[in-house]
Amino acid sequence: MKCYYSTHPEDYQGYDTQKLRDNYLIESLFCYGEVRQFYCYDDRLIVAGVCPQGTSLSLVAGKALGGLTFFSRREAAAVNLGADGVIRVGDEVFSLAYREALYVGKGEHDVSFESVEPSNPAKFYVCSAPSHHPYPVRHIGRSDVKKIHLGDPDTANERIIHQYIHPDVCPSSQLALGLTDLINASNWNTMPCHTHSRRMEAYFYFFEQDDTRVFHFMGKPNETRHLVIANEQVVISPSWSIHSGVGTRRYSFIWAMAGENQEFGDMDFIKTEDMR
């Protein structure tokens, strides 16, 4: 499990492009027949790509979790971005179609991932955070999510936010997760941008055309940098950093947060004229 360590905002000012990518970008998440896991020291978030083919796959606890099983003190949410898949939690079996999700609370249960057709595999994007309270397993279909329409065509940031793991949809200990679609001709995922010092965030970008790129802006508002993102890559966004992006074509992304609270409106907006 590769680890991504926390960085001080003053340290990152001296990073060149490659060091920015090494410290904040997960470039290769999915591999057929494998589990790929990444441990973020910012709020102890784990990001994983699970792509089962002929055999079932399970998340690996490893040394980073102190010898415990994966869900002993953790919760997780998995979103299927491939063909039909199955997640087994103990004796329960959950079928997940495209863009459906499953929440699994902490507990001593075995969890495994499968594809319905190995030749057309499921692709599970998984985010996990520490948990101190067991919440029940919950399947979240596309009709179960809470949808919020934000933005405006004049500012090129019109979008639909689909809240999957949120107090109004699915109770969790601290994890929050949703999926955002840019609509019409919009290409900014948020602008004006913001920070939320009580929560870190991970951004998973995905889109249809291979030559599409997203320019993800990060850093302190007065000391910004950017990363150029390809399909199915993840940006780790520390709580002190802005997180805003613009794409060469329409794209979608999954945001996941962990930290001190789950208040969707708990953010500090940055005036565009104050950015540097």
Side-chain angles (χ1 to χ4, degrees):
M1 187 175 343
K2 182 179 178 180
C3 292
Y4 285 78
Y5 295 94
S6 301
T7 52
H8 192 282
E10 292 182 2
D11 293 336
Y12 106 104
Q13 294 177 17
Y15 290 0
D16 61 15
T17 297
Q18 189 57 53
K19 196 161 186 178
L20 282 173
R21 296 178 72 87
D22 291 342
N23 282 271
Y24 302 109
L25 180 64
I26 300 173
E27 294 190 77
S28 181
L29 185 69
F30 291 117
C31 183
Y32 292 133
E34 291 186 13
V35 175
R36 293 190 172 180
Q37 296 179 195
F38 305 87
Y39 189 99
C40 311
Y41 275 79
D42 289 287
D43 289 307
R44 307 285 173 172
L45 189 78
I46 291 177
V47 171
V50 184
C51 194
Q53 283 190 298
T55 59
S56 64
L57 297 174
S58 299
L59 297 167
V60 180
K63 184 178 179 181
L65 301 189
L68 300 172
T69 62
F70 192 92
F71 286 95
S72 292
R73 294 180 183 174
R74 283 190 162 267
E75 60 185 355
V79 182
N80 185 12
L81 296 174
D84 291 350
V86 170
I87 300 179
R88 299 179 185 271
V89 183
D91 294 329
E92 296 185 275
V93 180
F94 300 90
S95 297
L96 272 71
Y98 181 64
R99 288 200 181 197
E100 293 189 334
L102 187 75
Y103 169 81
V104 182
K106 72 182 288 284
E108 297 298 333
H109 31 233
D110 294 324
V111 179
S112 62
F113 301 79
E114 302 172 9
S115 293
V116 174
E117 295 185 14
S119 60
N120 191 17
K123 293 163 70 172
F124 297 102
Y125 175 62
V126 181
C127 289
S128 169
S131 174
H132 303 288
H133 182 84
Y135 285 94
V137 178
R138 174 79 180 273
H139 176 269
I140 303 108
R142 296 182 66 173
S143 61
D144 299 321
V145 302
K146 180 180 179 181
K147 297 182 181 180
I148 302 174
H149 189 162
L150 292 178
D152 190 277
D154 290 340
T155 48
N157 65 352
E158 191 177 12
R159 59 203 188 274
I160 301 292
I161 294 176
H162 309 260
Q163 293 178 336
Y164 285 76
I165 312 301
H166 183 275
D168 293 339
V169 179
C170 174
S172 64
S173 184
Q174 68 160 321
L175 185 65
L177 181 145
L179 189 156
T180 299
D181 289 318
L182 277 294
I183 59 175
N184 299 322
S186 292
N187 56 3
W188 280 101
N189 61 44
T190 179
M191 185 58 74
C193 59
H194 61 268
T195 61
H196 29 71
S197 59
R198 287 152 295 279
R199 294 169 302 192
M200 65 83 65
E201 190 162 8
Y203 265 48
F204 169 80
Y205 289 100
F206 63 102
F207 30 81
E208 294 180 359
Q209 295 87 354
D210 287 339
D211 61 344
T212 300
R213 291 295 183 269
V214 173
F215 290 73
H216 178 96
F217 292 88
M218 62 171 297
K220 298 287 282 186
N222 62 344
E223 189 77 33
T224 60
R225 302 285 189 273
H226 76 271
L227 293 166
V228 180
I229 312 298
N231 186 34
E232 296 182 345
Q233 294 184 339
V234 182
V235 179
I236 299 165
S237 181
S239 58
W240 48 262
S241 175
I242 65 166
H243 36 279
S244 183
V246 61
T248 59
R249 286 193 180 95
R250 189 180 303 176
Y251 60 94
S252 300
F253 63 96
I254 294 175
W255 46 267
M257 292 183 285
E260 190 172 337
N261 65 32
Q262 297 175 313
E263 301 299 324
F264 185 73
D266 182 17
M267 58 188 74
D268 299 310
F269 287 99
I270 310 300
K271 292 182 180 180
T272 305
E273 58 265 31
D274 292 337
M275 294 179 62
R276 296 291 183 270

